[in-house]
Amino acid sequence: EIRYEELSPAEWFRRNKELAGLTNPTRAMYQTIREFVENSLDATESYGILPSIKVKIDYYDKARGWVSVYVEDNGVGIPDSEIPNVFGRVFYSSKYRIRQHRGVFGLGAKMIILYAQSTTNKPIYVRSAPLGSDRIYEYVLMINTLKNEPIILERREYENKYRWHGTAVKVIIEGDWPRAKKRVEEYLKRTYMIAPYAEIILKAPDLFLCFPRVTTKLPPPPKEGLPHPKSVDVELIKHLIARNPNLTLREFLTEYFDGVGKQTAEAFLKWAKFDPNKKVGDLTEDEITELTTKMREFNGWRRPKADWLSPVGEELLIEGIKKVLEPEFVAAVTRKPSSYMGHPFIVEAAIAWGGRIPPSDKPIVYRFANKVPLLYDEGSDVIRKVVEEIDWSVYKVKFPAPLAVIVHVCSTKIPYVSAGKEAIADVVEIEEEIVLAIREVARKLRQYITKKEKEEEIYIK
Amino acid sequence: EIRYEELSPAEWFRRNKELAGLTNPTRAMYQTIREFVENSLDATESYGILPSIKVKIDYYDKARGWVSVYVEDNGVGIPDSEIPNVFGRVFYSSKYRIRQHRGVFGLGAKMIILYAQSTTNKPIYVRSAPLGSDRIYEYVLMINTLKNEPIILERREYENKYRWHGTAVKVIIEGDWPRAKKRVEEYLKRTYMIAPYAEIILKAPDLFLCFPRVTTKLPPPPKEGLPHPKSVDVELIKHLIARNPNLTLREFLTEYFDGVGKQTAEAFLKWAKFDPNKKVGDLTEDEITELTTKMREFNGWRRPKADWLSPVGEELLIEGIKKVLEPEFVAAVTRKPSSYMGHPFIVEAAIAWGGRIPPSDKPIVYRFANKVPLLYDEGSDVIRKVVEEIDWSVYKVKFPAPLAVIVHVCSTKIPYVSAGKEAIADVVEIEEEIVLAIREVARKLRQYITKKEKEEEIYIK
Ligand SMILES: Nc1ncnc2c1ncn2[C@@H]1O[C@H](COP(=O)(O)OP(=O)(O)OP(=O)(O)O)[C@@H](O)[C@H]1O
Ligand SMILES: Nc1ncnc2c1ncn2[C@@H]1O[C@H](COP(=O)(O)OP(=O)(O)OP(=O)(O)O)[C@@H](O)[C@H]1O
Ligand SMILES: [Mg+2]
Ligand SMILES: [Mg+2]
């Protein structure tokens, strides 16, 4: 008698936590902090708010290895009716949009709550006030894993006397703070390195970190984009048709897709042999498939816009690297936008040399995806792959050398290797852009090293 | 106005196909074949049936890069009422049990169907007859991604005149057969290498493979196990309590857990300071947490049984390696069962040397998890990590050398790095066992090389 079962997404991820980076108490300690800090940065920076983030870590039950983690931000807050949903339902998110955010899966906070429930049986505490709200809302929540629904244990609301806005969360997890401490410090340092407009304060056992804002210049928040016609698949086309079956094919293309004007739409439809006036609701299944295939094949689409992206920028990169790494030399480049499968992306690279950078047998690699520092799974990451395949002697680098390579990839869809969001997959277009970006700054390093060699020769003479 | 959305699991995986290995048409070609072949092997081997599997690949629309993939087995079949569920609902499976299978996530077949829907808009065709059934059932299905439900386009049933049993599936996907061909051949060859009781036939453009059975001796199917007390978490305990809140703590432990007899249960409860006669339904939240923590801490549990596992065995390993690699020397070892977090696992390792193995700068690594050959993501795999860290000169191996290392890890829960099931995460206990297993067979290789050197000296003299 074979038993067939269905699992809710919450139950499935509870059983397969390692797919989301929760492999042991050390990594869980790190993942808890990063998932909440990234949510706080999304809730501030993406809405034009200068981020102020507080992180507080305390031992809750040292014998059992339990730690409490508190993260507070001055962000855009969460509406009362949505608080139970965003923390109580796996695959629930405000970031399923075509826009650069740190979050992407609608899973992060829920994984931490599932981990806490599984190890300490403690609920999550949430306090939030949306921007301009005259009330503050507090919840104590758990997740019903069998149904993928929130369990509201407590709810309070009270007057927002001092017009606070933002979100505070607190969980109690089985976490190895002493083992994770170094990496958490590195994570926050690197976060700040490329977001020096963020103020981050961490209070923890044996660790106090204070990163004050070094600039009040916030990069403009990315706009929300439309899908690019090269990134379509049949399901997406069907979802869009269902929204308004009465649109003509011409209207359908210009309304729902990035960079498609009336002329481009008509040129495409002529090439693909479709009637521009046909209603999309009248397309047969085969025609829908044909339309999709042709959209992906057509070479006349405009390149994807970068308005939905938010690169760090060369100036801010250099400033942050100088402050954190204190090198003798630094060069940075922000490449022009490119795209893979219709998803726009930008690669930024920097090289830092000498100064307080310790000599090492191979380059120290700093990886970033959508402004998030990646500290695990380096072996699976395309950035590490590119750095290893470069012949550094061409740039006058002899190992051991005090060389750091910083690469930031930002996109409306980062092709993560796993739901733990620690490594970027080796998509061909992204790999090629990383190679070109690193070579560009490596050439500047070579110029500097050459100039230094000449100066030393003159000095010796 | 922030827009919050919920995605069904089908829609989430459609948007994040790369998390399940569907990164491009070459990999999709490979993944389609492996997901269906692994389902067929689970449906035969796990039920004591000698597997006969047919795979047929044809170009469906060469211009658009569309390929049809047909896989048929003589397995245990799928009941009529379950066919729409197992192919139409993400997270639906018969393998959410404590038992070794190739499948584990309840996702594989659905990912292929979602990929086909997204690229060619074609449904899946399924024909199945359960063991002993007098009817054969045919379905044409798609997945409703918004609701994670099957869409039944057609259904037929007819008389099972010749008492056939098994399952046949057919999909049409955008797949790059020429680029994937080599890896598919390697996958089937290696599958057969450790399952030489399986008969596998592949007919494809430019490729005909026929692997006839070399033995009719099928390893005994693994039994279904109970969870081990070391692998508990709070959620599992709560699910089990809910099943029958009237059980006493003593009964609860002996009934639901692997290897817990009355004596062990009482010893544990005494040590953990619980009343053995207390009803589990009367435990408070804090007591449930305390019980969970203590169960994971207790050192008096019996080691996990290996009855739920199905290793290949040294004899079959050697036989398969001889047939496929044709080496001069081969040694194999099946380690005793071990466990991590209460999940039993067994590591098997073999070394093959010389003969038709080509010399290479580093060992050729053959990785297997639950009898599935792993061909991608080698850089993320713990097996590759261990092989690289071994100093092979200790075993008289000088590179370039004709050396192949074969490692098989089997467990009731393989800690996969991602849902693409191509790499095993570096769990400490598993890594240590792999090191010990490889050293064991490496020492036998050293004996052989030493003996060979002596013979050559005598011959030269
Ligand atoms: N500090 C916060 N301030 C405002 N909104 C928040 C905050 N934290 C979470 N949210 C809301 O909760 C949603 C779910 O968060 P969660 O971390 O689970 O997923 P995500 O951030 O969308 O994606 P990912 O899984 O990649 O992190 C977010 O999309 C956001 O709308
Ligand atoms: N050829 C087959 N014969 C019998 N049952 C099958 C066959 N293929 C699929 N099934 C049934 O369908 C279920 C779902 O298959 P699917 O591949 O989606 O998930 P899974 O094999 O359980 O796990 P995984 O995602 O790791 O492959 C299986 O658990 C099994 O019960
Ligand atoms: Mg998040
Ligand atoms: Mg499967």
Side-chain angles (χ1 to χ4, degrees), chain A residues 3 5 7 12 14-15 18 64 91 93 97 105 117 121 233 235 238 285 290 413, chain B residues 3 5 7 12 14-15 18 64 91 93 97 105 117 121 233-235 238 285 290 413:
Chain A
R3 248 185 307 171
E5 285 176 83
L7 296 182
W12 192 85
R14 180 189 76 80
R15 295 185 189 203
E18 63 280 355
R64 292 203 267 193
F91 300 156
S93 169
R97 323 260 92 236
F105 291 131
Q117 266 176 231
N121 199 14
D233 67 43
E235 287 293 310
K238 287 182 171 182
E285 285 295 328
E290 177 70 358
K413 181 172 161 61
Chain B
R3 247 184 309 173
E5 285 176 82
L7 298 181
W12 193 86
R14 181 189 76 78
R15 297 184 187 203
E18 61 280 355
R64 294 202 269 192
F91 300 155
S93 170
R97 323 260 91 237
F105 291 131
Q117 265 175 231
N121 200 14
D233 67 43
V234 174
E235 286 294 310
K238 286 182 171 181
E285 286 295 327
E290 177 70 358
K413 182 173 162 62

Side-chain angles (χ1 to χ4, degrees), chain A residues 2-5 12, chain B residues 34-44 47 71-79 82-83 85-96 101-113 126-128 166-169 416 419 421:
Chain A
I2 302 175
R3 248 185 307 171
Y4 295 89
E5 285 176 83
W12 192 85
Chain B
R34 76 161 286 206
E35 293 289 3
F36 289 141
V37 167
E38 286 161 34
N39 281 346
S40 292
L41 286 164
D42 276 346
T44 46
Y47 296 96
V71 179
E72 180 186 319
D73 62 65
N74 60 335
V76 74
I78 307 165
E82 292 295 353
I83 293 173
N85 288 329
V86 300
F87 293 109
R89 296 183 192 273
V90 170
F91 300 155
Y92 200 99
S93 170
S94 60
K95 301 168 198 171
Y96 290 141
H101 313 93
R102 290 168 176 77
V104 57
F105 291 131
L107 178 68
K110 275 76 74 178
M111 284 314 303
I112 304 311
I113 297 167
V126 182
R127 168 170 35 93
S128 192
T167 304
V169 294
Y416 285 114
K421 297 180 283 186

Side-chain angles (χ1 to χ4, degrees), chain B residues 362-435:
Chain B
K362 37 185 189 165
I364 307 168
V365 181
Y366 292 80
R367 303 172 288 134
F368 295 88
N370 285 359
K371 300 190 184 173
V372 173
L374 309 181
L375 268 72
Y376 283 88
D377 301 353
E378 189 168 300
S380 323
D381 197 297
V382 63
I383 295 171
R384 162 52 76 186
K385 177 181 178 214
V386 168
V387 171
E388 275 186 356
E389 291 174 1
I390 288 178
D391 179 3
W392 289 97
S393 63
V394 168
Y395 304 101
K396 303 203 159 192
V397 175
K398 276 193 230 67
F399 292 101
L403 174 67
V405 182
I406 300 96
V407 177
H408 175 226
V409 180
C410 61
S411 177
T412 52
K413 182 173 162 62
I414 294 278
Y416 285 114
V417 165
S418 82
K421 297 180 283 186
E422 286 289 350
I424 305 173
D426 56 349
V427 168
V428 167
E429 293 89 337
I430 294 180
E431 187 169 342
E432 291 176 348
E433 271 295 302
I434 295 172
V435 172

Side-chain angles (χ1 to χ4, degrees), chain A residues 136-147:
Chain A
I136 296 179
Y137 304 94
E138 280 187 6
Y139 278 84
V140 177
L141 298 163
M142 284 185 115
I143 298 176
N144 176 338
T145 63
L146 291 178
K147 294 190 173 177

Side-chain angles (χ1 to χ4, degrees), chain B residues 235-248:
Chain B
E235 286 294 310
L236 173 66
I237 295 292
K238 286 182 171 181
H239 291 337
L240 293 174
I241 287 174
R243 274 198 212 165
N244 185 355
N246 285 322
L247 291 182
T248 66

Side-chain angles (χ1 to χ4, degrees), chain B residues 15-31:
Chain B
R15 297 184 187 203
N16 296 300
K17 293 192 204 75
E18 61 280 355
L19 295 181
L22 293 166
T23 29
N24 55 60
T26 304
R27 181 117 183 223
M29 184 76 243
Y30 169 87
Q31 199 77 13

